[in-house]
């Protein structure tokens, strides 16, 4: 009870305080640069810890997930090939039951097509769990990295098909590893299918 | 030069023509005032659920709410400008949220942080959950996400700043209606709904009695 | 270190008229007749040494027309549970209260009354706990339907059939409300719910007025909106001067119907919901739930997944204890500096979680039979650096910063004392129990996963006051780092399988019951699940450590000053998502 404990504690805070300035001397390009942000989110960081959003952004890991989006492949003449086949697995697995799908119908025969006519994700329910993306067999629904989606009105919180669609190149940009893996998987599958077909053809 | 009408001048977003600069007071005052307000929005220290943890993380060293002039978290509603509703609003908490909102001084803002506060979130179907805080009090900014990351919250706060910037004196100081506190009965009851509730329950009772009578006959 | 196998006592021989073994398929334990419950329980505690009642909950077996109360009792020296059940008719379920034998049953019995309508005869204070007095019905009964009812279980049909709709548009009031037939709102007294609470506190402590000194007891209400209650928690305290003479914790302000929703969900849907139980320690919640379901399914995760689970669970413990210490100091008045230092380390741990699972807090990382994905390599490097270098250093720094601080010592020492006997009787768990000198840790007492391979000490402190509850968190964080260091040394090479079986989104779980428990950072986190062989659980109950630790709050607080209430609460380290569920 002689105040030594308090003094010790104060020494710790002073060390924290000084560390920032020491670091300022030691490092160049400390603020508003990618290296600076990287250093400040690494386990080596001492001193100042703040990442000054919005000027600086935290490096999001590829696996980061926010609201899901739907992927379309860009066709050669600019049309959008939606990958989703309206199979409904995402709607079935969604814990909050926030996905609504309406299947497209053939305008002539009236038979259901394997494309969604409407697709809604109610972000007032979505819990960003990522189960939809995990179990999608077509790599069509992906968890987005875009978190800057605050709105003034609740009506804008139900995302429709138009709002959900994003290009495959965007997908490739935010999740390069996963994109490459899934593409390779698809390719292998297609190859196997082709080989099977060829075998069958040979038998005949 | 196009002559602006009175209403346009009232809007702070109005660009002041060069020849008028130095002579117009009201619009610039509006701007100055909003500039001050926007940079010292004091949130209420009010955590409900998971999102509150992200709110604390936002105030902590990595994101540092102080850069926006918002580090002064007030535990008392009387001293705060914005209520960040961070988490699931339950029926049991609903009367207290309305009370806190009523106690806040003008001008006041509400941010619904996360899916739960916006619309019930994953717990919406629950029997004790209010489907979004906007069922109780007016909301200015909605932030989707479960929970929104601290950056998403900061973005929402910046959206609120943009909103504040565009407001005029007139809008800011219209006195809001006092919102009657809901009452906890057999379920959450809004006092304004009492006649409707009575009608509904009487009808239900009648139906039940009719059913019972039919069952007795049959 | 395996426990010596203790043969469960043969209780049917001892109580031939009262006890029958539970022979339903997938079930275990005994069924006790209600009239003999007290005798049976007393014998269990006094003769067989089952002195720790871990979990008590009710199950509504609607098709059989029965209500069942399930008890899980343990020996505080370790070993498997003794499960026994009481069955009563559904129309009038009355069960004798075991609070006189295990006071820790107090809140759990109140919860069963609140949600299932099982009356416990002889309970000292049987009123609603999570909902308010006057609520219509007992919502966990299988025939009780919420206003937004869509179907008995998910997935709901109209998700793949039509366009989006708001649930509000389908109810008569445009809100999530419903009222009983014949109810008159004008005749309702809005003060009812609160009055019941205040009266129960006042009655407990009313004492004759002292003539010479005109002193009266004051009832003080803290919360639910209060900066120190760690969320929306409320305490009603009766004070004599400044001394607390009675205290009633009031909760339910964050009751999100976790269990009702959990029974509608499919098995896998519950994993992300468990994240939101104790939202600071999502990983260990995942762990507890998948353990319980794996017990039913008979799955064994592959080696690397086992290690990853342990790594994540222990990182969570370090993170949680840092958080708890930071905010305990906040409650003490050391505004924000210790909390900010602790949060800095937490952010770094969260970065690892984010890289591995995708989200900072709501990890949703574990699956039945494994984990969802491997931890990426850059995150692994970061993890190794954190565990071997940074975290040990920072915990030492926190220790130097706070432990010997004279103000902390004088405010915390001797405050909020809980004796070992009380700690066991109140069924407290985790740091609260171990700070009172009871070295009980599920990781040792009944090892799960691969915890029997690691070399670590069960941290224990002996004074049972706030200061020891602070110290024990530092100790435990250090022990966790020890486990982590062993785990990153021994983990199998990358590329090993991570999931037993194929990933499935609709698993069927064999019928039966299972109780999976883990040593969460807050204490013993248990999941009691009952399956009927369908795609969704019949009963899904969470034994929440923060909730049951609060049973001891009154005992800790009585005799202390009102200013210390806040730090006593802080030292229990509650999270309201778990208390109220």
């Amino acid at each position: 009870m002689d105040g030594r404990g308090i003094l010790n504690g104060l020494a710790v805070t002073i060390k924290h305080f000084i560390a920032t300035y020491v670091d300022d001397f030691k490092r160049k390009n400390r603020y508003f640069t990618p290296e600076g942000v990287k250093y400040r989110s690494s386990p080596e960081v001492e001193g100042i810890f703040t990442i000054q959003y919005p000027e600086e952004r935290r490096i999001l890991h590829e696996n980061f997930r926010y609201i899901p989006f739907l992927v379309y492949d860009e066709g050669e003449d600019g049309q959008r090939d939606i990958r989703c086949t309206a199979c409904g697995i995402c709607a079935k697995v969604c814990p909050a039951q926030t996905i609504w799908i309406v299947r497209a119908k053939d305008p002539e025969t009236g038979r259901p097509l394997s494309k969604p006519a409407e697709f809604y994700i109610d972000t007032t329910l979505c819990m960003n769990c990522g189960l939809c993306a995990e179990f999608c067999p077509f790599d069509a629904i992906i968890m987005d990295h875009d978190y800057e989606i605050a709105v003034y009105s609740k009506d804008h919180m139900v995302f429709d098909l138009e709002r959900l669609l994003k290009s495959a190149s965007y997908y490739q940009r935010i999740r390069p590893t996963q994109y490459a893996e899934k593409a390779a998987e698809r390719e292998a599958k297609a190859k196997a299918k082709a080989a099977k077909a060829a075998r069958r053809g040979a038998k005949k | 030069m196009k002559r602006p009408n009175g209403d346009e001048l009232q809007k702070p977003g109005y660009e002041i023509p060069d020849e008028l600069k130095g002579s117009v007071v009201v619009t610039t005052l509006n701007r100055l005032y909003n500039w001050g307000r926007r940079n010292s929005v004091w949130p209420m220290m009010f955590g409900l659920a998971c999102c509150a943890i992200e709110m604390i993380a936002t105030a902590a060293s990595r994101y540092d709410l102080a850069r926006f002039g918002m580090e002064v978290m007030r535990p008392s509603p009387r001293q705060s400008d914005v209520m960040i509703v961070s988490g699931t609003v339950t029926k049991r908490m609903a009367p207290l949220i309305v009370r806190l909102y009523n106690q806040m001084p003008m001008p006041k803002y509400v941010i619904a942080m996360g899916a739960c506060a916006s619309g019930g979130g994953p717990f919406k179907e629950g029997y004790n959950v209010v489907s979004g805080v906007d069922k109780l009090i007016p909301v200015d900014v909605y932030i989707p996400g479960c929970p929104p990351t601290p950056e998403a919250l900061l973005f929402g706060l910046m959206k609120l700043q943009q909103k504040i910037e565009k407001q005029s004196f007139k809008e800011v100081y219209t006195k809001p209606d006092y919102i009657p506190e809901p009452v906890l009965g057999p379920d959450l009851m809004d006092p304004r709904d009492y006649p409707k509730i009575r009608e509904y329950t009487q009808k239900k009772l009648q139906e039940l009695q009719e059913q019972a009578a039919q069952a007795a006959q049959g | 270190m395996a426990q010596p196998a203790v043969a469960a006592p043969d209780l049917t021989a001892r109580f031939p008229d009262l006890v029958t073994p539970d022979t339903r398929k997938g079930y275990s334990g005994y069924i006790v007749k209600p009239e003999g419950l007290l005798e049976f329980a007393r014998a269990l505690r006094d003769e067989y040494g089952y002195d720790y009642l871990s979990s008590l909950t009710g199950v509504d077996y609607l098709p059989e027309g029965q209500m069942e109360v399930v008890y899980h009792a343990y020996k505080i020296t370790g070993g498997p549970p003794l499960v026994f059940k009481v069955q009563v008719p559904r129309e009038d379920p009355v069960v004798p209260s075991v609070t006189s034998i295990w006071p820790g049953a107090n809140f759990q019995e109140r919860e069963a009354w609140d949600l299932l309508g099982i009356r416990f005869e002889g309970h000292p204070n049987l009123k609603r706990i999570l909902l308010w007095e006057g609520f219509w019905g007992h919502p966990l009964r299988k025939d009780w339907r919420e206003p937004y009812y869509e179907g008995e279980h998910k997935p709901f049909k109209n998700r793949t059939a039509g366009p989006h709709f708001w649930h509000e548009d389908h109810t008569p009031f445009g809100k999530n409300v419903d009222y009983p037939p014949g109810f008159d709102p004008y005749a309702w007294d809005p003060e009812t719910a609160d009055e019941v609470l205040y009266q129960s506190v006042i009655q407990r402590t009313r004492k004759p007025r002292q003539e010479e000194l005109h002193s009266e007891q004051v009832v003080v209400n803290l919360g639910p909106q209060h900066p120190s209650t760690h969320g929306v928690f409320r305490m009603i305290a009766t004070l004599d001067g400044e001394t607390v003479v009675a205290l009633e914790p009031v909760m339910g302000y964050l009751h999100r119907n976790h269990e009702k929703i959990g029974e509608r969900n499919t098995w896998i849907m519950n994993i992300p919901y468990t994240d939101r139980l104790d939202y600071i320690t999502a990983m260990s919640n995942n762990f507890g739930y998948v353990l319980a379901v794996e017990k039913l399914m008979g799955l064994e995760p592959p080696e690397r997944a086992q290690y990853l689970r342990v790594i994540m669970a222990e990182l969570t413990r370090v993170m949680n204890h840092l958080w708890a210490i930071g905010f305990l100091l906040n409650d003490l008045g050391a505004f924000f500096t210790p909390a900010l230092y602790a949060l800095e380390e937490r952010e770094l741990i969260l970065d690892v979680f984010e890289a591995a699972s995708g989200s900072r807090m709501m990890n949703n990382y574990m699956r039945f039979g494994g984990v969802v994905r491997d931890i990426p390599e850059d995150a692994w490097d970061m993890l190794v650096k954190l565990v071997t270098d940074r975290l040990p250093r920072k915990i030492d720094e926190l220790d130097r910063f706070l432990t010997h601080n004279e103000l902390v010592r004088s405010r915390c020492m001797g405050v909020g004392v809980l004796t070992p006997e009380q700690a066991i009787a109140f069924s407290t768990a985790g740091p609260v129990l171990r700070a009172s000198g009871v070295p009980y840790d599920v990781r040792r007492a009944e090892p799960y996963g691969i915890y029997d391979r690691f070399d670590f000490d069960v941290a224990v402190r002996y004074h049972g006051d706030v200061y020891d509850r602070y110290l024990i968190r530092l100790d435990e964080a250090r022990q966790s780092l020890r486990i982590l260091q062993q785990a990153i040394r021994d983990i199998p090479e990358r590329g090993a399988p991570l999931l037993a079986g194929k990933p499935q989104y609709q698993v069927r779980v064999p019928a039966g019951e299972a109780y999976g428990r883990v040593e969460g950072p807050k204490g013993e986190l248990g999941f009691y699940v009952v399956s009927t062989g369908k795609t969704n659980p019949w009963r899904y109950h969470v034994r929440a450590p923060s909730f049951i630790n609060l049973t001891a709050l009154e005992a800790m607080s009585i005799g202390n000053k009102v200013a210390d209430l806040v730090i006593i609460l802080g030292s229990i380290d509650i999270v309201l998502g778990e208390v109220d569920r």
Side-chain angles (χ1 to χ4, degrees):
Chain A
M1 273 299 178
D2 52 1
R4 234 180 296 169
I6 293 180
L7 286 178
N8 254 333
L10 286 175
V12 172
T13 45
I14 285 176
K15 208 182 118 220
H16 262 256
F17 176 70
I18 293 174
T20 304
Y21 297 99
V22 172
D23 227 55
D24 273 350
F25 277 113
K26 274 205 268 185
R27 291 172 177 272
K28 291 259 151 50
N29 299 333
R30 195 161 144 66
Y31 301 106
F32 307 114
T33 56
E35 309 92 80
V37 174
K38 197 164 176 209
Y39 168 70
R40 261 170 289 146
S41 35
S42 72
E44 285 93 26
V45 62
E46 295 291 336
I48 200 161
F49 191 62
T50 312
I51 291 171
Q52 303 195 32
Y53 180 86
E55 289 86 6
E56 299 174 320
R57 272 149 210 269
R58 192 159 59 94
I59 311 156
L60 291 178
H61 197 275
E62 195 185 323
N63 287 335
F64 177 76
R65 52 183 149 86
Y66 215 64
I67 307 286
F69 70 91
L70 291 175
V71 185
Y72 68 83
D73 292 307
E74 294 105 325
E76 266 155 34
D77 42 349
Q79 94 274 21
R80 303 185 300 182
D81 295 332
I82 302 172
R83 285 190 185 176
C84 176
T85 62
C87 67
I89 289 182
C90 51
K92 276 183 208 146
V93 77
C94 176
Q97 296 287 291
T98 174
I99 300 178
W100 276 263
I101 305 174
V102 183
R103 238 172 200 234
K105 276 189 184 147
D106 196 315
E108 284 157 26
T109 58
R111 254 189 265 157
L113 295 171
S114 58
K115 281 273 163 280
E118 293 171 66
F119 198 106
Y120 299 96
I121 291 182
D122 187 343
T123 59
T124 65
L125 301 178
C126 178
M127 67 203 289
N128 308 6
C129 65
L131 285 181
C132 50
E134 193 182 321
F135 288 103
C136 178
F138 305 101
D139 203 23
I141 187 164
I142 304 294
M143 301 308 281
D144 205 346
H145 281 193
D146 184 17
Y147 46 76
E148 293 175 330
I149 45 175
V151 288
Y152 293 127
S153 156
K154 195 166 160 179
D155 297 335
H156 299 158
M157 287 182 79
V158 183
F159 288 10
D160 58 6
L161 190 59
E162 203 43 49
R163 173 78 173 76
L164 286 168
L165 279 177
K166 286 187 178 174
S167 69
S169 54
Y170 173 79
Y171 168 30
Q172 189 177 15
R173 204 172 67 239
I174 62 167
R175 293 170 177 263
T177 326
Q178 191 191 339
Y179 182 85
E181 260 171 35
K182 296 275 179 175
E185 233 170 69
R186 254 202 317 277
E187 214 163 275
K189 234 182 225 170
K191 246 186 210 162
K193 214 173 169 184
K196 212 173 169 187
R199 259 207 316 276
R200 204 172 294 158
K203 258 183 201 170
K204 275 178 189 171
Chain B
M1 166 204 157
K2 189 182 148 266
R3 186 172 284 275
N5 62 24
D7 276 357
E8 257 174 75
L9 276 175
Q10 286 298 318
K11 293 234 170 71
Y14 178 73
E15 274 305 318
I16 302 150
D18 284 338
E19 58 269 36
L20 283 181
K21 271 188 184 156
S23 58
V24 179
V25 180
V26 177
T27 42
T28 46
L29 191 65
N30 228 332
R31 268 194 191 181
L32 183 76
Y33 181 66
N34 280 347
W35 171 81
R37 273 186 335 123
R38 155 173 85 88
N39 287 314
S40 66
V41 183
W42 290 6
M44 183 153 73
M45 194 191 263
F46 173 59
L48 284 177
C50 331
C51 289
I53 307 297
E54 287 297 58
M55 189 171 77
I56 295 169
T58 315
S61 32
R62 180 173 269 181
Y63 304 97
D64 196 7
L65 211 47
R67 296 180 293 123
F68 297 81
M70 297 175 183
E71 77 277 25
V72 204
M73 291 245 187
R74 306 314 294 177
S76 162
R78 310 259 185 215
Q79 302 168 345
S80 42
D81 301 309
V82 56
M83 178 198 251
I84 303 177
V85 184
S86 51
T88 321
V89 181
T90 59
K91 288 179 187 170
R92 203 169 173 184
M93 196 65 197
L96 301 151
I97 288 176
V98 175
R99 190 180 303 165
L100 288 169
Y101 180 76
N102 284 334
Q103 285 174 347
M104 280 166 71
M106 284 302 285
K108 53 187 166 189
Y109 301 93
V110 176
I111 290 182
M113 178 185 181
C116 289
S118 308
F123 298 97
K124 183 173 184 175
E125 61 195 283
Y127 48 86
N128 191 27
V129 176
V130 177
S131 322
V133 73
D134 56 346
K135 292 267 183 293
L136 305 169
I137 53 178
V139 175
D140 294 285
V141 178
Y142 298 86
I143 310 174
C146 187
T149 56
E151 292 101 328
L153 175 62
L154 287 176
F155 182 76
L157 288 166
M158 286 178 338
K159 283 276 254 200
L160 180 71
Q161 287 185 329
Q162 287 165 16
K163 183 167 186 167
I164 292 174
E165 209 159 67
K166 293 210 179 79
Q167 282 182 322
S168 69
F169 277 128
K170 248 202 297 192
E171 283 172 74
V172 168
Y173 283 105
T174 41
K175 201 165 181 289
D177 294 334
Y178 169 80
I179 300 171
E181 280 171 33
V183 173
L184 291 175
D187 209 327
L188 194 70
M189 303 187 288
D190 191 328
R192 290 168 292 192
D193 280 350
Y194 274 8
K196 235 170 104 188
I197 293 174
R198 187 152 65 174
E199 202 181 306
Y200 170 77
T201 53
Q202 290 305 327
K203 210 176 109 198
K204 223 168 148 183
L205 184 69
Q206 233 168 29
E207 274 168 20
L208 268 184
Q209 282 165 347
E210 274 165 26
Q211 267 177 19
Q214 266 176 11
Q217 277 174 7
Chain C
M1 198 171 66
Q3 285 290 329
V6 190
D10 186 12
L11 292 159
T12 36
R14 169 84 202 279
F15 301 100
D17 303 333
L18 296 175
V19 179
T20 48
D22 192 347
T23 50
R24 290 171 290 178
K25 195 165 181 279
Y27 288 73
S28 62
Y30 301 97
I31 293 176
V32 185
K33 287 202 176 120
E35 58 271 21
L37 176 68
L38 286 181
E39 189 192 336
F40 177 80
R42 197 161 289 126
L44 264 193
R45 186 191 66 178
D46 297 339
E47 292 170 33
Y48 297 99
Y50 286 93
D51 46 0
Y52 184 79
L53 181 75
S54 161
S55 160
L56 183 163
T57 186
V59 188
D60 178 10
Y61 287 100
L62 180 65
E64 287 91 357
Q66 267 177 339
M67 281 280 178
E68 189 174 281
V69 183
V70 187
Y71 303 79
H72 284 80
Y74 286 89
K75 292 178 180 168
I76 205 73
T77 48
L82 193 118
V83 190
F84 57 98
K85 294 145 197 168
V86 176
Q87 290 178 336
V88 281
R90 219 172 152 269
E91 290 73 43
D92 183 31
V94 185
V95 177
S97 164
V98 293
T99 41
S100 56
I101 295 156
W102 293 294
N106 187 340
F107 283 8
Q108 307 190 56
E109 284 185 352
R110 277 176 68 187
E111 189 197 323
W113 156 246
D114 188 0
L115 301 181
L116 282 154
I118 301 170
R119 231 157 13 88
F120 290 91
E121 229 160 38
H123 191 285
N125 186 18
L126 191 67
K127 52 180 199 288
R128 286 186 183 264
I129 187 162
L130 296 178
L131 293 161
W132 60 92
E133 216 54 51
F135 185 82
W136 177 35
H138 299 285
L140 272 188
R141 289 190 165 215
K142 286 283 174 186
D143 50 0
W144 194 94
R145 284 178 176 184
E146 57 270 38
Y148 283 167
Y149 176 81
E150 263 192 272
E152 274 306 318
H153 55 81
K154 293 176 184 174
F156 298 137
K157 288 267 172 335
N158 19 4
R159 293 306 185 273
T160 43
H164 171 262
F165 59 87
W166 295 101
H167 288 77
E168 289 90 318
D169 301 339
H170 294 262
T171 51
F173 293 91
K175 283 179 203 164
N176 187 10
V177 288
D178 200 4
Y179 306 98
F183 168 73
D184 184 9
Y186 292 99
W188 181 264
D189 177 14
E191 298 295 320
T192 329
D194 269 8
E195 199 51 38
V196 174
L197 290 173
Y198 287 120
Q199 280 309 327
S200 77
V201 184
I202 293 166
Q203 269 162 15
R204 240 185 289 167
T205 55
R206 177 150 295 158
K207 63 167 191 187
R209 204 173 156 162
Q210 291 167 341
E211 283 307 321
E212 65 276 22
L213 230 163
H214 286 291
S215 72
E216 260 188 15
Q217 295 183 345
V218 202
V219 176
V220 173
N221 181 65
L222 271 106
Q225 151 60 7
H226 191 275
S228 68
T229 51
H230 295 239
V232 280
F233 182 67
R234 178 175 171 198
M235 293 181 277
I236 300 174
T238 315
L239 307 179
D240 189 1
E242 271 194 66
T243 313
V244 180
V245 289
L247 180 114
E248 170 93 10
V250 186
M251 49 201 104
Y253 292 95
L254 192 58
H255 178 47
R256 306 193 274 197
N257 333 123
H258 191 92
E259 291 176 10
K260 184 84 178 175
I261 295 174
E263 286 165 20
R264 298 246 188 271
N265 282 349
T266 60
W267 292 96
I268 200 166
M269 285 177 189
N270 271 335
I271 299 175
Y273 273 98
T274 57
D275 291 339
R276 286 151 181 85
L277 268 175
D278 175 350
Y279 29 77
I280 298 176
T281 64
M283 287 284 190
S284 39
N285 302 349
N286 283 182
F287 201 174
Y289 176 64
V290 297
L291 265 187
V293 180
E294 277 166 9
K295 267 190 193 172
L296 275 175
M297 297 170 74
L299 273 179
E300 184 72 25
E303 198 67 6
R304 187 170 168 89
Q306 292 273 30
Y307 274 96
L308 282 175
R309 282 182 179 185
V310 168
I311 287 171
M312 294 304 173
E314 293 307 317
L315 268 183
T316 309
R317 193 183 317 277
V318 176
M319 179 184 90
N320 175 73
H321 286 345
L322 287 171
W323 174 278
I325 290 170
F327 281 84
L328 173 67
L329 266 288
N330 233 13
D331 293 342
L332 277 166
F335 271 131
F336 289 114
T337 309
L340 287 179
Y341 289 178
L343 279 177
E344 206 168 291
E345 308 316 312
R346 178 174 181 263
E347 286 291 336
L348 291 171
I349 297 176
L350 289 185
D351 283 349
V352 175
F353 285 172
E354 185 179 276
S357 73
S359 180
R360 290 154 49 82
M361 282 168 66
M362 305 307 175
N363 306 115
N364 186 14
Y365 186 61
M366 296 179 196
R367 295 286 176 273
F368 308 129
V371 295
V372 60
R373 69 174 74 78
D374 210 335
I375 175 167
E377 281 186 43
D378 48 347
W380 179 259
D381 295 340
M382 183 165 174
L383 169 83
V384 172
K385 273 184 204 156
L386 274 177
V387 168
T388 51
D389 172 42
R390 184 173 175 104
L391 288 175
R393 198 153 43 84
K394 290 290 168 179
I395 288 172
D396 287 346
E397 190 187 89
L398 208 61
D399 192 4
R400 200 162 61 245
F401 183 30
L402 302 170
T403 308
H404 295 292
N405 187 311
E406 282 78 3
L407 299 176
V408 173
R409 288 164 75 99
S410 55
R411 281 239 24 217
C412 294
M413 282 180 162
V415 172
V417 177
L418 192 71
T419 63
E421 295 76 27
Q422 280 175 322
I424 297 171
F426 283 121
S427 303
T428 58
V432 179
L433 180 66
R434 289 189 289 271
S436 290
V438 185
Y440 186 78
D441 188 320
V442 183
R443 292 174 294 174
R444 264 291 148 69
E446 196 192 12
Y448 53 92
I450 51 165
Y451 273 107
D452 46 354
R453 297 184 198 170
F454 297 108
D455 181 26
F456 67 100
D457 299 325
V458 175
V460 63
R461 296 264 167 180
Y462 296 95
H463 298 99
D465 56 2
V466 174
Y467 191 62
D468 272 10
R469 285 196 279 277
Y470 153 73
L471 284 176
I472 202 152
R473 294 207 162 89
L474 278 180
D475 297 346
E476 277 188 23
R478 290 196 172 116
Q479 294 302 329
S480 287
L481 288 176
R482 255 178 89 186
I483 298 178
L484 280 167
Q485 284 158 4
Q486 295 167 42
I488 57 176
R489 186 192 63 205
D490 299 339
I491 188 167
E493 283 296 308
R494 190 176 290 277
L498 292 170
L499 200 66
K502 268 188 175 170
Q504 272 181 309
Y505 67 88
Q506 230 170 27
V507 286
R508 274 181 193 278
V509 174
E513 57 163 11
Y515 182 67
R517 56 175 195 158
V518 293
E519 183 67 36
K522 307 271 195 303
E524 179 190 329
L525 175 70
F527 287 86
Y528 178 71
V529 288
V530 175
S531 169
T532 48
K534 299 256 172 56
T535 50
N536 61 317
W538 180 260
R539 180 81 174 96
Y540 163 72
H541 172 73
V542 186
R543 185 241 188 249
S546 321
F547 174 65
I548 295 165
N549 285 352
L550 280 176
T551 324
L553 181 64
E554 182 171 19
M556 286 182 199
S557 310
I558 285 178
N560 286 293
K561 301 279 184 256
V562 62
D564 292 333
L565 263 188
V566 167
I567 60 167
I568 293 170
L569 184 70
S571 75
I572 302 181
D573 182 21
I574 56 164
V575 164
L576 267 296
E578 190 178 67
V579 173
D580 296 342
R581 279 157 290 147

